[in-house]
Amino acid sequence: MGRVNGQPVPTAGAAQDSRLWRPRPHHTDGARTPDPEDVAALYRQLRKAFEDGKNEPGAADFYYGECEMRRHDPTGTTRGERRLLWGYWLLSGYGLRASRAFTWLLAAMSLTVLLLMGVGLPTHDPDPATTGTLHGSKIALNTSTPDPALRGGWPQRMTFARAEKATRVAINSVVFRSSGQNLTTAGTYIEMISRLLEPTLLALGVLAIRGRIKR
């Protein structure tokens, strides 16, 4: 398999890199060397057999192998699909590595908190301003709230109170909820992105746990 993946043909007596596919006796014979597409088909059949036998954890292992073969197959899998599979593998191990998904979730939440503390939360909540005009014996009042703004340098922004507010926004984003916290324009976009990304990572983590314990 290493040869068809663009990896060098091993030479006699040379030490083998553990990161490469392990060659078999007929490795240099292209006609007798299975390629990733062949192995993916085999894994698919084994996965189907385990699913029919109601062995979901076992089927998940072969599903992981099938996706790995497709990710490494430059002929039977398009470049765009291989990139999607690479991203799926990186984020959650094809939906089977809960620790990886939850690690990314924690990293995303930490980054959200830092960005909100730096540029997302206003230094002070804006106070509503009321203006009025007098027309004869009638008074017309108008109340407006100015846009949240940042003031001061980074030392004033990195405080425990701001960290608590930013953490509350990040946690609410995981469950698609708005925190109701006043945010700057940058903070509004940060919250929007986190409300899209973080629930996805949480779902991948839960999916991975479910795939491992379901029987």
Side-chain angles (χ1 to χ4, degrees):
M1 287 184 289
R3 189 182 65 79
V4 297
N5 278 279
Q7 297 174 5
V9 176
T11 56
Q16 299 299 311
D17 190 336
S18 61
R19 295 172 297 178
L20 302 180
W21 297 108
R22 298 183 183 276
R24 305 313 302 165
H26 303 292
H27 176 69
T28 57
D29 185 350
R32 304 180 68 178
T33 301
D35 57 23
E37 186 175 6
D38 296 328
V39 181
L42 177 61
Y43 281 157
R44 191 176 303 115
Q45 294 172 4
L46 291 169
R47 173 174 61 84
K48 183 65 166 56
F50 272 73
E51 288 175 347
D52 291 343
K54 307 301 181 183
N55 186 346
E56 295 293 340
D61 290 329
F62 287 111
Y63 173 73
Y64 188 96
E66 177 188 347
C67 289
E68 277 286 273
M69 293 301 101
R70 291 171 58 199
R71 184 168 68 92
H72 288 286
D73 183 9
T75 57
T77 308
T78 64
R79 179 177 297 181
E81 187 176 356
R82 291 202 308 274
R83 288 177 177 175
L84 287 175
L85 286 168
W86 180 85
Y88 195 22
W89 165 82
L90 182 66
L91 290 178
S92 65
Y94 310 116
L96 296 172
R97 300 293 185 265
S99 60
R100 190 176 303 179
F102 287 130
T103 298
W104 279 110
L105 174 60
L106 180 61
M109 293 178 65
S110 299
L111 179 61
T112 298
V113 170
L114 288 175
L115 289 175
L116 288 173
M117 291 175 65
V119 298
L121 292 171
T123 309
H124 301 286
D125 290 333
D127 295 323
T130 301
T131 59
T133 56
L134 178 62
H135 301 282
S137 60
K138 295 182 179 180
I139 299 177
L141 298 177
N142 180 44
T143 300
S144 61
T145 302
D147 292 333
L150 279 172
R151 295 183 180 87
W154 284 93
Q156 289 77 26
R157 300 178 190 180
M158 297 297 155
T159 63
F160 178 80
R162 289 173 62 82
E164 189 275 331
K165 291 181 180 179
T167 301
R168 189 166 61 244
V169 174
I171 293 175
N172 278 298
S173 295
V174 175
V175 291
F176 284 112
R177 291 180 55 190
S178 174
S179 64
Q181 175 66 46
N182 286 320
L183 300 173
T184 63
T185 301
T188 300
Y189 284 106
I190 292 170
E191 184 184 36
M192 290 170 58
I193 295 173
S194 65
R195 289 177 67 184
L196 174 65
L197 176 61
E198 292 167 9
T200 302
L201 294 171
L202 177 63
L204 289 173
V206 173
L207 178 66
I209 294 175
R210 180 179 180 273
R212 286 300 181 185
I213 65 175
K214 182 178 178 182
R215 291 188 179 275

